[in-house]
Amino acid sequence: MTKFSFIVPYRNRDTKIAKRCLLSLQTQKVITDYEVIFINYGSDKVISNELESFCTDLDKINYVFNEVRGMFWSRSASINNGIYLAQGEYCIIADVDMIYSPNFLEEVNQNINQNTLLHYQCFYLNEGFEYDKYLENHSLKIENLGQFEKSSKESAMGIVIIPTNKLKEIGAFDEYYRLWGIEDKDLNRRLLNYDYKEKLEMKWLNAEKSPVFHQWHPAANNPLAQPKGWEKIVIDHYHNKYDKPELTIHKKTNGIEIGKIYNKKERPALKKYESNDIETNFEFEFPIEKAYSSFVSQFMKLEKNKALILNQSFSLIDEKATSKAAQGVRKINSLLEKVKVSYRMTELLKHTYGNIDFYQVRDFLFYFIVDFEDFIEDYYYKQENGESGKPEKITLILFKK
């Protein structure tokens, strides 16, 4: 049996970052009994081809592509893919933006056993860090670690070493969490509270002995990047599971297909999208509330294996347009600006002239897919930017179960 299984989830991230991580995992000097399971959770074709080719030249890498293109990102599901493929006695949950020291596994091996939940922290590299200056045999040789901020223990809950059998016994990660979640906090709580024969003890590696470095990348903190209210729902889901289980809607958070690896034959929505046979049979119209009701009703009336298809652009009236309405808006806004009134007419127009906002529809569709997943055989969701660079178009293919 293999001793350690690194599990590295990935989707559409900077390939340079991913390659540095994977190369650093080639360099473990003392402990060589390990594997690396690189889970490509539905990345775009070009990126996937590049990384698959890259991994063929590396040792110990098990490259796994899960054909979930068009499905929402789920770190929980992607890690579960790795857990149920792992051959190792211990799973090491890794992040693709980390660079590991050559003695990392040596330190892990000295501190881990079947009754230990072992966490490790990382050092944050700065923007503009000169990798070539410090890279030595794919690892970073840095004498002065004090120049970098070290992650707090709270923020490092997601990078952890756990006995594989203990992970499977509790059902691994909760796959209700997607896009953004607190799946790490949830997992730690369940591991530490579960009624094992012997309770797990949480420990921390000495970060200075085997430093792990976090590669700099832009922060993903756009408040519009996730559906409105999802953060609160996720937090409520977490607390209700333990404090008010009677309020938990999704009591069975992981079904029988936990860790499932999809192939293209199982994705009718993806195949339909790639065939370009996406003639719209639904369109959101004003008033939006009526459109929501019509969408639900039309989907539920579908026969088994039939699809509801949306392929629609959503945009507000552009004040630079030549329409009479837009010309009027410019004049009114100009007057309001002169008298120093902050209110503008654009938001009013989307109601007066029946314009439907992109984010309204996106959020509705996300929650529909989450709440009606028991009725959905497969789905493919894609959003595209307009000429302004802002998201504007939505394509959704929903197959009825």
Side-chain angles (χ1 to χ4, degrees), residues 317-340:
I317 289 181
D318 187 349
E319 292 185 24
K320 295 180 181 179
T322 58
S323 68
K324 291 182 179 180
Q327 291 172 9
V329 168
R330 287 203 303 274
K331 290 180 180 179
I332 294 171
N333 282 349
S334 178
L335 289 171
L336 292 173
E337 186 176 0
K338 287 180 180 179
V339 295
K340 298 183 179 180

Side-chain angles (χ1 to χ4, degrees), residues 83-99:
I83 290 171
Y84 285 89
L85 290 171
Q87 299 296 311
E89 182 181 357
Y90 299 95
C91 281
I92 302 175
I93 310 302
D95 281 345
V96 76
D97 48 18
M98 301 296 181
I99 294 178

